[in-house]
Amino acid sequence: MSGVIAIGSDHAGPELKSAVIFYLSAKGLQTMDLGVPIGTAACNYPDIARKVVSAVLSGEAGRGILICGTGAGMCMVANKAAGIRAANCPNEYTARMARAHNDINILTLGARVLGHGLALEIVECFLETPFEGGRHQERLALFN
Ligand code: RB5
């Protein structure tokens, strides 16, 4: 799996996106910024979601992070793609469980919901929590 993290946000979250990129870079991780830049007046979150989904599905990125106002719209779009398991995580517990039990490959965050400090803790859980496999792998096999 590629160690690169693909990251994108709509106009609600470029500041949080920059904070996450700074955090990941400080940890020595490579990021792929798929937009949008700070100052973007408005854009459509499905367009950004699809760019990150493509990077993960192609293997260019091992995992993805998507940011919009609530995290909800990005999560809905990402989960339309076969092979993507995305969860909108408003706290560390959800992020840990979504990795351990659901093996998520895309994390979505709500920039209008979360402070940057909490968002970065959530990102840390997303990166560091291993999938438990076993009975959870059997359940993932029932998805399609
Ligand atoms: C944009 O205003 C907002 O609708 C979007 O960022 C997101 O929250 C959608 O789910």
Short mmCIF file of all heavy atoms in Angstrom, two decimals, residues 67-134:
data_model
loop_
_atom_site.label_atom_id
_atom_site.label_comp_id
_atom_site.label_asym_id
_atom_site.label_seq_id
_atom_site.Cartn_x
_atom_site.Cartn_y
_atom_site.Cartn_z
N ILE A 67 -12.57 16.62 3.45
CA ILE A 67 -13.09 17.62 4.38
C ILE A 67 -14.17 18.45 3.68
O ILE A 67 -13.96 18.95 2.57
CB ILE A 67 -11.95 18.55 4.85
CG1 ILE A 67 -10.85 17.74 5.55
CG2 ILE A 67 -12.49 19.64 5.78
CD1 ILE A 67 -9.54 18.50 5.74
N CYS A 68 -15.32 18.57 4.33
CA CYS A 68 -16.32 19.55 3.89
C CYS A 68 -16.89 20.19 5.14
O CYS A 68 -16.29 20.07 6.21
CB CYS A 68 -17.38 18.91 2.99
SG CYS A 68 -18.38 17.62 3.77
N GLY A 69 -18.03 20.88 5.05
CA GLY A 69 -18.55 21.57 6.23
C GLY A 69 -18.84 20.62 7.37
O GLY A 69 -18.44 20.84 8.51
N THR A 70 -19.56 19.55 7.06
CA THR A 70 -19.96 18.57 8.08
C THR A 70 -19.22 17.25 7.98
O THR A 70 -19.30 16.43 8.90
CB THR A 70 -21.45 18.26 7.94
OG1 THR A 70 -21.66 17.71 6.62
CG2 THR A 70 -22.31 19.50 8.13
N GLY A 71 -18.60 16.99 6.85
CA GLY A 71 -18.02 15.66 6.56
C GLY A 71 -19.03 14.71 5.95
O GLY A 71 -18.66 13.65 5.42
N ALA A 72 -20.31 15.09 5.99
CA ALA A 72 -21.37 14.17 5.55
C ALA A 72 -21.41 13.99 4.04
O ALA A 72 -21.45 12.86 3.53
CB ALA A 72 -22.73 14.66 6.05
N GLY A 73 -21.38 15.10 3.32
CA GLY A 73 -21.49 15.01 1.86
C GLY A 73 -20.30 14.26 1.26
O GLY A 73 -20.47 13.39 0.39
N MET A 74 -19.11 14.58 1.74
CA MET A 74 -17.91 13.88 1.25
C MET A 74 -18.02 12.38 1.51
O MET A 74 -17.64 11.56 0.66
CB MET A 74 -16.66 14.43 1.93
CG MET A 74 -16.26 15.82 1.50
SD MET A 74 -15.75 15.85 -0.24
CE MET A 74 -14.85 17.41 -0.29
N CYS A 75 -18.53 12.02 2.67
CA CYS A 75 -18.65 10.60 3.03
C CYS A 75 -19.63 9.89 2.10
O CYS A 75 -19.38 8.77 1.64
CB CYS A 75 -19.09 10.51 4.49
SG CYS A 75 -18.93 8.87 5.16
N MET A 76 -20.74 10.54 1.82
CA MET A 76 -21.76 9.94 0.94
C MET A 76 -21.19 9.67 -0.44
O MET A 76 -21.37 8.60 -1.01
CB MET A 76 -22.95 10.88 0.81
CG MET A 76 -23.78 11.00 2.05
SD MET A 76 -25.10 12.19 1.75
CE MET A 76 -25.64 12.47 3.43
N VAL A 77 -20.49 10.66 -1.00
CA VAL A 77 -19.95 10.51 -2.35
C VAL A 77 -18.88 9.42 -2.37
O VAL A 77 -18.87 8.55 -3.24
CB VAL A 77 -19.37 11.84 -2.88
CG1 VAL A 77 -18.75 11.65 -4.25
CG2 VAL A 77 -20.44 12.91 -2.92
N ALA A 78 -17.98 9.46 -1.40
CA ALA A 78 -16.87 8.49 -1.39
C ALA A 78 -17.39 7.06 -1.31
O ALA A 78 -16.89 6.16 -1.99
CB ALA A 78 -15.93 8.79 -0.21
N ASN A 79 -18.42 6.85 -0.52
CA ASN A 79 -18.93 5.48 -0.33
C ASN A 79 -19.70 4.95 -1.54
O ASN A 79 -20.06 3.77 -1.56
CB ASN A 79 -19.78 5.40 0.93
CG ASN A 79 -18.92 5.21 2.16
OD1 ASN A 79 -18.00 4.39 2.17
ND2 ASN A 79 -19.19 5.96 3.22
N LYS A 80 -19.92 5.77 -2.54
CA LYS A 80 -20.56 5.28 -3.78
C LYS A 80 -19.60 4.43 -4.59
O LYS A 80 -20.02 3.67 -5.47
CB LYS A 80 -20.99 6.47 -4.65
CG LYS A 80 -22.09 7.29 -4.06
CD LYS A 80 -23.33 7.17 -4.90
CE LYS A 80 -24.49 7.86 -4.21
NZ LYS A 80 -25.72 7.11 -4.34
N ALA A 81 -18.31 4.58 -4.34
CA ALA A 81 -17.30 3.87 -5.15
C ALA A 81 -16.98 2.52 -4.52
O ALA A 81 -16.65 2.44 -3.33
CB ALA A 81 -16.03 4.72 -5.26
N ALA A 82 -17.06 1.45 -5.33
CA ALA A 82 -16.71 0.12 -4.84
C ALA A 82 -15.25 0.12 -4.43
O ALA A 82 -14.40 0.65 -5.15
CB ALA A 82 -16.96 -0.91 -5.94
N GLY A 83 -14.96 -0.45 -3.28
CA GLY A 83 -13.58 -0.50 -2.80
C GLY A 83 -13.25 0.62 -1.82
O GLY A 83 -12.20 0.59 -1.19
N ILE A 84 -14.14 1.60 -1.73
CA ILE A 84 -13.94 2.67 -0.74
C ILE A 84 -14.79 2.38 0.48
O ILE A 84 -15.97 2.02 0.38
CB ILE A 84 -14.32 4.05 -1.33
CG1 ILE A 84 -13.38 4.45 -2.47
CG2 ILE A 84 -14.34 5.12 -0.23
CD1 ILE A 84 -11.92 4.63 -2.07
N ARG A 85 -14.15 2.50 1.64
CA ARG A 85 -14.87 2.44 2.91
C ARG A 85 -14.53 3.74 3.64
O ARG A 85 -13.40 3.91 4.13
CB ARG A 85 -14.43 1.21 3.74
CG ARG A 85 -14.87 -0.12 3.11
CD ARG A 85 -14.30 -1.30 3.86
NE ARG A 85 -12.86 -1.22 3.94
CZ ARG A 85 -12.02 -1.53 2.92
NH1 ARG A 85 -12.51 -2.00 1.78
NH2 ARG A 85 -10.72 -1.41 3.07
N ALA A 86 -15.51 4.66 3.62
CA ALA A 86 -15.29 5.98 4.22
C ALA A 86 -16.18 6.13 5.45
O ALA A 86 -17.31 5.63 5.47
CB ALA A 86 -15.62 7.07 3.21
N ALA A 87 -15.68 6.82 6.45
CA ALA A 87 -16.50 7.15 7.62
C ALA A 87 -16.26 8.60 8.03
O ALA A 87 -15.13 9.09 7.98
CB ALA A 87 -16.16 6.22 8.79
N ASN A 88 -17.36 9.24 8.40
CA ASN A 88 -17.31 10.60 8.92
C ASN A 88 -17.12 10.50 10.42
O ASN A 88 -17.98 9.97 11.12
CB ASN A 88 -18.63 11.30 8.58
CG ASN A 88 -18.64 12.76 8.96
OD1 ASN A 88 -17.58 13.37 9.12
ND2 ASN A 88 -19.82 13.34 9.07
N CYS A 89 -15.99 10.94 10.90
CA CYS A 89 -15.62 10.70 12.31
C CYS A 89 -15.56 12.00 13.09
O CYS A 89 -14.65 12.80 12.91
CB CYS A 89 -14.27 9.99 12.37
SG CYS A 89 -14.30 8.35 11.60
N PRO A 90 -16.51 12.21 14.00
CA PRO A 90 -16.52 13.44 14.79
C PRO A 90 -15.71 13.35 16.08
O PRO A 90 -15.61 14.32 16.82
CB PRO A 90 -18.01 13.61 15.13
CG PRO A 90 -18.53 12.21 15.19
CD PRO A 90 -17.71 11.39 14.22
N ASN A 91 -15.13 12.18 16.34
CA ASN A 91 -14.33 12.02 17.58
C ASN A 91 -13.33 10.89 17.39
O ASN A 91 -13.40 10.12 16.41
CB ASN A 91 -15.24 11.77 18.78
CG ASN A 91 -16.20 10.62 18.53
OD1 ASN A 91 -15.78 9.54 18.12
ND2 ASN A 91 -17.47 10.83 18.75
N GLU A 92 -12.41 10.77 18.35
CA GLU A 92 -11.34 9.77 18.24
C GLU A 92 -11.88 8.35 18.31
O GLU A 92 -11.39 7.46 17.64
CB GLU A 92 -10.30 9.97 19.36
CG GLU A 92 -9.64 11.32 19.37
CD GLU A 92 -10.30 12.27 20.36
OE1 GLU A 92 -11.55 12.33 20.40
OE2 GLU A 92 -9.56 12.97 21.08
N TYR A 93 -12.89 8.14 19.20
CA TYR A 93 -13.44 6.78 19.36
C TYR A 93 -13.97 6.27 18.02
O TYR A 93 -13.69 5.13 17.62
CB TYR A 93 -14.55 6.77 20.41
CG TYR A 93 -15.16 5.41 20.60
CD1 TYR A 93 -14.53 4.44 21.37
CD2 TYR A 93 -16.37 5.07 19.97
CE1 TYR A 93 -15.07 3.18 21.53
CE2 TYR A 93 -16.92 3.82 20.12
CZ TYR A 93 -16.26 2.87 20.90
OH TYR A 93 -16.80 1.61 21.03
N THR A 94 -14.74 7.11 17.34
CA THR A 94 -15.31 6.68 16.05
C THR A 94 -14.19 6.37 15.05
O THR A 94 -14.27 5.38 14.31
CB THR A 94 -16.23 7.77 15.49
OG1 THR A 94 -17.20 8.12 16.48
CG2 THR A 94 -16.95 7.30 14.24
N ALA A 95 -13.15 7.21 15.04
CA ALA A 95 -12.05 6.97 14.10
C ALA A 95 -11.33 5.66 14.42
O ALA A 95 -11.00 4.88 13.51
CB ALA A 95 -11.07 8.14 14.15
N ARG A 96 -11.10 5.41 15.71
CA ARG A 96 -10.43 4.14 16.08
C ARG A 96 -11.27 2.94 15.68
O ARG A 96 -10.76 1.98 15.09
CB ARG A 96 -10.18 4.11 17.60
CG ARG A 96 -8.83 4.64 18.01
CD ARG A 96 -8.44 4.18 19.41
NE ARG A 96 -9.43 4.56 20.41
CZ ARG A 96 -9.51 5.75 20.98
NH1 ARG A 96 -8.64 6.69 20.68
NH2 ARG A 96 -10.45 6.02 21.87
N MET A 97 -12.57 3.00 15.98
CA MET A 97 -13.44 1.86 15.66
C MET A 97 -13.62 1.70 14.15
O MET A 97 -13.71 0.58 13.64
CB MET A 97 -14.81 2.03 16.34
CG MET A 97 -14.79 1.88 17.82
SD MET A 97 -14.16 0.27 18.34
CE MET A 97 -12.57 0.71 19.01
N ALA A 98 -13.67 2.82 13.46
CA ALA A 98 -13.86 2.75 12.00
C ALA A 98 -12.64 2.13 11.33
O ALA A 98 -12.75 1.49 10.28
CB ALA A 98 -14.15 4.14 11.44
N ARG A 99 -11.48 2.29 11.93
CA ARG A 99 -10.28 1.60 11.42
C ARG A 99 -10.27 0.14 11.89
O ARG A 99 -10.10 -0.78 11.09
CB ARG A 99 -9.00 2.29 11.92
CG ARG A 99 -8.58 3.52 11.15
CD ARG A 99 -8.06 3.20 9.75
NE ARG A 99 -7.12 2.10 9.81
CZ ARG A 99 -7.13 1.07 8.96
NH1 ARG A 99 -8.00 0.99 7.97
NH2 ARG A 99 -6.24 0.09 9.09
N ALA A 100 -10.47 -0.08 13.18
CA ALA A 100 -10.32 -1.42 13.76
C ALA A 100 -11.38 -2.38 13.23
O ALA A 100 -11.08 -3.54 12.95
CB ALA A 100 -10.39 -1.34 15.28
N HIS A 101 -12.61 -1.91 13.07
CA HIS A 101 -13.71 -2.80 12.69
C HIS A 101 -14.12 -2.68 11.22
O HIS A 101 -14.63 -3.64 10.65
CB HIS A 101 -14.94 -2.52 13.57
CG HIS A 101 -14.74 -2.94 15.00
ND1 HIS A 101 -15.76 -2.91 15.93
CD2 HIS A 101 -13.64 -3.38 15.67
CE1 HIS A 101 -15.31 -3.34 17.11
NE2 HIS A 101 -14.01 -3.61 16.98
N ASN A 102 -13.97 -1.48 10.65
CA ASN A 102 -14.47 -1.25 9.29
C ASN A 102 -13.36 -1.06 8.27
O ASN A 102 -13.64 -0.92 7.08
CB ASN A 102 -15.40 -0.02 9.26
CG ASN A 102 -16.45 -0.04 10.35
OD1 ASN A 102 -16.46 0.83 11.22
ND2 ASN A 102 -17.31 -1.03 10.36
N ASP A 103 -12.12 -1.04 8.71
CA ASP A 103 -10.96 -0.90 7.81
C ASP A 103 -11.14 0.26 6.84
O ASP A 103 -10.94 0.11 5.63
CB ASP A 103 -10.74 -2.22 7.05
CG ASP A 103 -9.37 -2.29 6.40
OD1 ASP A 103 -8.45 -1.57 6.85
OD2 ASP A 103 -9.22 -3.08 5.44
N ILE A 104 -11.54 1.42 7.37
CA ILE A 104 -11.79 2.55 6.45
C ILE A 104 -10.50 2.95 5.73
O ILE A 104 -9.41 2.90 6.30
CB ILE A 104 -12.40 3.78 7.17
CG1 ILE A 104 -11.52 4.30 8.32
CG2 ILE A 104 -13.80 3.49 7.64
CD1 ILE A 104 -11.93 5.69 8.80
N ASN A 105 -10.67 3.31 4.47
CA ASN A 105 -9.53 3.83 3.71
C ASN A 105 -9.67 5.32 3.42
O ASN A 105 -8.74 5.93 2.88
CB ASN A 105 -9.25 3.01 2.45
CG ASN A 105 -10.48 2.76 1.61
OD1 ASN A 105 -11.51 3.41 1.81
ND2 ASN A 105 -10.39 1.84 0.66
N ILE A 106 -10.83 5.88 3.73
CA ILE A 106 -11.00 7.33 3.64
C ILE A 106 -11.67 7.83 4.93
O ILE A 106 -12.69 7.29 5.37
CB ILE A 106 -11.82 7.74 2.40
CG1 ILE A 106 -11.00 7.49 1.12
CG2 ILE A 106 -12.24 9.21 2.50
CD1 ILE A 106 -11.64 7.97 -0.16
N LEU A 107 -11.08 8.87 5.51
CA LEU A 107 -11.63 9.56 6.68
C LEU A 107 -12.28 10.84 6.20
O LEU A 107 -11.67 11.58 5.41
CB LEU A 107 -10.48 9.90 7.63
CG LEU A 107 -10.79 10.86 8.79
CD1 LEU A 107 -11.67 10.19 9.84
CD2 LEU A 107 -9.48 11.36 9.42
N THR A 108 -13.49 11.13 6.66
CA THR A 108 -14.06 12.43 6.34
C THR A 108 -14.23 13.24 7.63
O THR A 108 -14.51 12.70 8.69
CB THR A 108 -15.37 12.37 5.52
OG1 THR A 108 -16.47 12.00 6.36
CG2 THR A 108 -15.25 11.38 4.37
N LEU A 109 -14.02 14.55 7.50
CA LEU A 109 -14.03 15.46 8.65
C LEU A 109 -14.93 16.66 8.34
O LEU A 109 -14.97 17.14 7.20
CB LEU A 109 -12.61 15.98 8.90
CG LEU A 109 -11.54 14.95 9.29
CD1 LEU A 109 -10.15 15.60 9.25
CD2 LEU A 109 -11.82 14.38 10.68
N GLY A 110 -15.57 17.16 9.38
CA GLY A 110 -16.41 18.36 9.25
C GLY A 110 -15.66 19.58 9.74
O GLY A 110 -15.48 19.77 10.94
N ALA A 111 -15.27 20.43 8.80
CA ALA A 111 -14.48 21.61 9.17
C ALA A 111 -15.29 22.62 9.98
O ALA A 111 -14.73 23.42 10.72
CB ALA A 111 -13.93 22.28 7.91
N ARG A 112 -16.63 22.57 9.82
CA ARG A 112 -17.47 23.51 10.56
C ARG A 112 -17.96 22.91 11.87
O ARG A 112 -18.74 23.53 12.58
CB ARG A 112 -18.65 23.94 9.68
CG ARG A 112 -18.22 24.76 8.48
CD ARG A 112 -19.37 25.05 7.53
NE ARG A 112 -18.94 25.89 6.41
CZ ARG A 112 -19.60 26.01 5.26
NH1 ARG A 112 -20.73 25.33 5.07
NH2 ARG A 112 -19.13 26.78 4.31
N VAL A 113 -17.50 21.70 12.14
CA VAL A 113 -17.93 20.98 13.35
C VAL A 113 -16.77 20.86 14.34
O VAL A 113 -16.97 20.95 15.55
CB VAL A 113 -18.43 19.57 12.97
CG1 VAL A 113 -18.88 18.79 14.19
CG2 VAL A 113 -19.55 19.65 11.92
N LEU A 114 -15.58 20.65 13.80
CA LEU A 114 -14.42 20.28 14.62
C LEU A 114 -13.42 21.43 14.75
O LEU A 114 -13.15 22.12 13.75
CB LEU A 114 -13.68 19.11 13.97
CG LEU A 114 -14.49 17.84 13.75
CD1 LEU A 114 -13.74 16.90 12.81
CD2 LEU A 114 -14.78 17.16 15.07
N GLY A 115 -12.85 21.58 15.93
CA GLY A 115 -11.66 22.43 16.06
C GLY A 115 -10.46 21.71 15.47
O GLY A 115 -10.48 20.48 15.34
N HIS A 116 -9.44 22.46 15.13
CA HIS A 116 -8.28 21.84 14.48
C HIS A 116 -7.58 20.83 15.39
O HIS A 116 -7.10 19.80 14.93
CB HIS A 116 -7.28 22.91 14.02
CG HIS A 116 -7.74 23.65 12.81
ND1 HIS A 116 -6.91 24.44 12.04
CD2 HIS A 116 -8.94 23.71 12.20
CE1 HIS A 116 -7.59 24.96 11.03
NE2 HIS A 116 -8.83 24.54 11.12
N GLY A 117 -7.53 21.13 16.70
CA GLY A 117 -6.85 20.21 17.62
C GLY A 117 -7.52 18.85 17.64
O GLY A 117 -6.86 17.81 17.52
N LEU A 118 -8.84 18.83 17.76
CA LEU A 118 -9.57 17.57 17.77
C LEU A 118 -9.44 16.87 16.41
O LEU A 118 -9.23 15.66 16.34
CB LEU A 118 -11.05 17.81 18.10
CG LEU A 118 -11.97 16.59 18.05
CD1 LEU A 118 -11.46 15.47 18.95
CD2 LEU A 118 -13.40 16.99 18.44
N ALA A 119 -9.54 17.65 15.34
CA ALA A 119 -9.43 17.05 14.00
C ALA A 119 -8.09 16.33 13.83
O ALA A 119 -8.03 15.22 13.27
CB ALA A 119 -9.59 18.13 12.93
N LEU A 120 -7.02 16.91 14.34
CA LEU A 120 -5.70 16.28 14.20
C LEU A 120 -5.60 15.01 15.05
O LEU A 120 -4.96 14.04 14.65
CB LEU A 120 -4.59 17.27 14.54
CG LEU A 120 -4.51 18.49 13.61
CD1 LEU A 120 -3.40 19.44 14.06
CD2 LEU A 120 -4.30 18.08 12.16
N GLU A 121 -6.24 15.01 16.21
CA GLU A 121 -6.28 13.78 17.03
C GLU A 121 -7.03 12.68 16.29
O GLU A 121 -6.66 11.50 16.35
CB GLU A 121 -6.97 14.06 18.38
CG GLU A 121 -6.27 15.05 19.27
CD GLU A 121 -5.10 14.45 20.04
OE1 GLU A 121 -5.02 13.22 20.09
OE2 GLU A 121 -4.29 15.22 20.56
N ILE A 122 -8.09 13.05 15.62
CA ILE A 122 -8.88 12.08 14.84
C ILE A 122 -8.03 11.52 13.71
O ILE A 122 -8.02 10.31 13.45
CB ILE A 122 -10.17 12.75 14.32
CG1 ILE A 122 -11.10 13.08 15.51
CG2 ILE A 122 -10.88 11.87 13.30
CD1 ILE A 122 -12.26 14.00 15.15
N VAL A 123 -7.30 12.41 13.03
CA VAL A 123 -6.40 11.97 11.96
C VAL A 123 -5.37 10.98 12.50
O VAL A 123 -5.06 9.96 11.87
CB VAL A 123 -5.70 13.19 11.29
CG1 VAL A 123 -4.56 12.75 10.39
CG2 VAL A 123 -6.72 14.02 10.52
N GLU A 124 -4.84 11.27 13.68
CA GLU A 124 -3.85 10.37 14.29
C GLU A 124 -4.44 8.97 14.51
O GLU A 124 -3.79 7.96 14.22
CB GLU A 124 -3.38 10.99 15.62
CG GLU A 124 -2.33 10.20 16.36
CD GLU A 124 -0.97 10.25 15.69
OE1 GLU A 124 -0.75 11.08 14.81
OE2 GLU A 124 -0.12 9.41 16.06
N CYS A 125 -5.66 8.91 15.01
CA CYS A 125 -6.33 7.61 15.21
C CYS A 125 -6.52 6.90 13.87
O CYS A 125 -6.34 5.68 13.77
CB CYS A 125 -7.70 7.79 15.88
SG CYS A 125 -7.60 8.37 17.57
N PHE A 126 -6.89 7.65 12.86
CA PHE A 126 -7.08 7.07 11.51
C PHE A 126 -5.78 6.45 11.00
O PHE A 126 -5.77 5.37 10.42
CB PHE A 126 -7.57 8.19 10.58
CG PHE A 126 -7.65 7.83 9.12
CD1 PHE A 126 -8.43 6.78 8.67
CD2 PHE A 126 -6.94 8.57 8.18
CE1 PHE A 126 -8.52 6.46 7.31
CE2 PHE A 126 -7.01 8.27 6.83
CZ PHE A 126 -7.80 7.21 6.40
N LEU A 127 -4.66 7.14 11.26
CA LEU A 127 -3.38 6.66 10.74
C LEU A 127 -2.83 5.49 11.55
O LEU A 127 -2.21 4.58 10.99
CB LEU A 127 -2.34 7.79 10.79
CG LEU A 127 -2.60 8.97 9.88
CD1 LEU A 127 -1.53 10.03 10.11
CD2 LEU A 127 -2.63 8.53 8.43
N GLU A 128 -3.03 5.52 12.86
CA GLU A 128 -2.31 4.60 13.73
C GLU A 128 -3.07 3.34 14.14
O GLU A 128 -2.48 2.42 14.67
CB GLU A 128 -1.86 5.35 15.01
CG GLU A 128 -0.91 6.50 14.75
CD GLU A 128 0.39 6.07 14.07
OE1 GLU A 128 0.80 4.91 14.25
OE2 GLU A 128 0.96 6.88 13.33
N THR A 129 -4.38 3.31 13.89
CA THR A 129 -5.15 2.16 14.36
C THR A 129 -5.18 1.06 13.31
O THR A 129 -5.65 1.28 12.19
CB THR A 129 -6.60 2.57 14.70
OG1 THR A 129 -6.58 3.70 15.57
CG2 THR A 129 -7.36 1.41 15.34
N PRO A 130 -4.69 -0.13 13.64
CA PRO A 130 -4.73 -1.21 12.66
C PRO A 130 -6.12 -1.86 12.57
O PRO A 130 -6.90 -1.82 13.53
CB PRO A 130 -3.72 -2.23 13.21
CG PRO A 130 -3.63 -1.94 14.68
CD PRO A 130 -4.00 -0.50 14.88
N PHE A 131 -6.42 -2.44 11.41
CA PHE A 131 -7.64 -3.22 11.22
C PHE A 131 -7.49 -4.52 12.01
O PHE A 131 -6.44 -5.17 11.96
CB PHE A 131 -7.82 -3.50 9.73
CG PHE A 131 -9.01 -4.35 9.39
CD1 PHE A 131 -10.27 -4.09 9.94
CD2 PHE A 131 -8.90 -5.40 8.48
CE1 PHE A 131 -11.37 -4.86 9.60
CE2 PHE A 131 -9.99 -6.18 8.14
CZ PHE A 131 -11.22 -5.91 8.70
N GLU A 132 -8.56 -4.93 12.70
CA GLU A 132 -8.47 -6.14 13.53
C GLU A 132 -8.67 -7.42 12.73
O GLU A 132 -8.32 -8.50 13.22
CB GLU A 132 -9.52 -6.08 14.66
CG GLU A 132 -9.15 -5.09 15.75
CD GLU A 132 -10.21 -5.01 16.84
OE1 GLU A 132 -11.16 -5.83 16.86
OE2 GLU A 132 -10.10 -4.09 17.67
N GLY A 133 -9.26 -7.32 11.54
CA GLY A 133 -9.47 -8.53 10.72
C GLY A 133 -10.43 -9.50 11.40
O GLY A 133 -11.34 -9.09 12.11
N GLY A 134 -10.22 -10.81 11.17
CA GLY A 134 -11.05 -11.83 11.81
C GLY A 134 -12.52 -11.68 11.45
O GLY A 134 -12.87 -11.57 10.28
#
